[in-house]
Amino acid sequence: GMVATMALAMLGRVGDALAALDTLESDVARMNAHRWTPRPLNLRGWILRNLGELGEADELNRAAIDAARGQGLDEPLANGLLDLASGRLLAGDFDGTDALLREAMTLTEVEHAFRWRHELRGRLIRVRLDQATRDFDGALAGAESLATDAALLGTPRYEIQARLVAAISAHQIGAAPDHEMVAGLLTRLDQVAGLEGWWITAEVARVFGVHEWEELAGRRVRSLRRRAGDYAEALDRAATHYLG
């Protein structure tokens, strides 16, 4: 159930992902499988945050963090902290992002399930934070290093997102843009970050000033909106904020 939810969400099939989560949560409750309680909460938070429902997403991740701490579960605790850090970054709270990121990254020193993936995810949020705080040199170096490591580990989800951060940062410090390369990366987002792809595309379009990519971001919002159910209005508000 958890893997199916993640796969569906990464493809942007949010309605199906939320339905899979409902099933997973009812199974967890029926079997009294408390060790699983935090995971669906984190997944739902991740999905809702990318549909523009930041407040509800934070509450879900906080509940997951409390449940994980209560049971001494490092994997959902790390994910919950990284989810909250992503939320703070989207909200423009850079100090909050930094504090949560530091806390999450101390967990990468402890052996636990998917530790390597948490480390990649933490590094992606860190380079996005560097970019947001206009440390473009730091963002570029960190993003290039992350892209290399993600490629070696065979995780295109992190490689492609990191390469886009690198492209934005290089452009911000005066490098001539390779539009064809960036366009290729944007195309691949649908397969690996269908949930986040709309706002990533909007950001890339804004930095490079490419109208065609703005239109692509708009199409991605509309595609997600058709599957967003009750969250369509939240997505509309977020899209207005991002796309203007």
Side-chain angles (χ1 to χ4, degrees), residues 126-127 129-145 165-175:
R126 173 61 64 193
V127 296
L129 177 60
D130 287 343
Q131 184 189 297
T133 53
R134 306 191 70 77
D135 174 9
F136 298 122
D137 290 301
L140 177 58
E144 285 182 336
S145 149
V165 173
I168 286 175
S169 303
H171 180 60
Q172 296 279 29
I173 52 182

Side-chain angles (χ1 to χ4, degrees), residues 40-50 56-57 60-61 83:
L41 291 168
N42 272 335
L43 284 170
R44 197 178 290 274
W46 167 57
I47 292 169
L48 296 195
R49 182 170 290 109
N50 287 288
E56 194 177 336
L60 287 159
N61 291 127
D83 277 318

Side-chain angles (χ1 to χ4, degrees), residues 83-213:
D83 277 318
L84 277 185
S86 299
R88 292 293 82 214
L89 186 53
L90 284 173
D93 171 11
F94 303 143
D95 290 342
T97 308
D98 180 62
L100 285 158
L101 208 43
R102 285 174 193 277
E103 191 179 350
M105 291 315 263
T106 61
L107 289 167
T108 62
E109 294 157 23
V110 184
E111 185 55 59
H112 64 268
F114 298 114
R115 178 172 72 164
W116 62 275
R117 188 175 276 275
H118 294 153
E119 193 183 340
L120 292 182
R121 192 176 170 204
R123 286 166 67 190
L124 179 62
I125 299 168
R126 173 61 64 193
V127 296
R128 284 207 170 118
L129 177 60
D130 287 343
Q131 184 189 297
T133 53
R134 306 191 70 77
D135 174 9
F136 298 122
D137 290 301
L140 177 58
E144 285 182 336
S145 149
L146 172 57
T148 302
D149 291 349
L152 287 171
L153 287 163
T155 50
R157 174 170 166 78
Y158 292 101
E159 183 196 350
I160 291 163
Q161 290 185 81
R163 289 201 190 287
L164 284 167
V165 173
I168 286 175
S169 303
H171 180 60
Q172 296 279 29
I173 52 182
D178 180 346
H179 280 118
E180 210 169 305
M181 185 228 11
V182 175
L185 291 169
L186 287 175
T187 302
R188 293 174 67 196
L189 277 177
D190 279 340
Q191 271 62 59
V192 296
L195 192 55
E196 301 92 348
W198 70 271
W199 61 260
I200 296 172
T201 306
E203 185 177 25
V204 174
R206 186 170 66 243
V207 170
F208 286 91
V210 176
H211 180 63
E212 197 183 326
W213 297 344

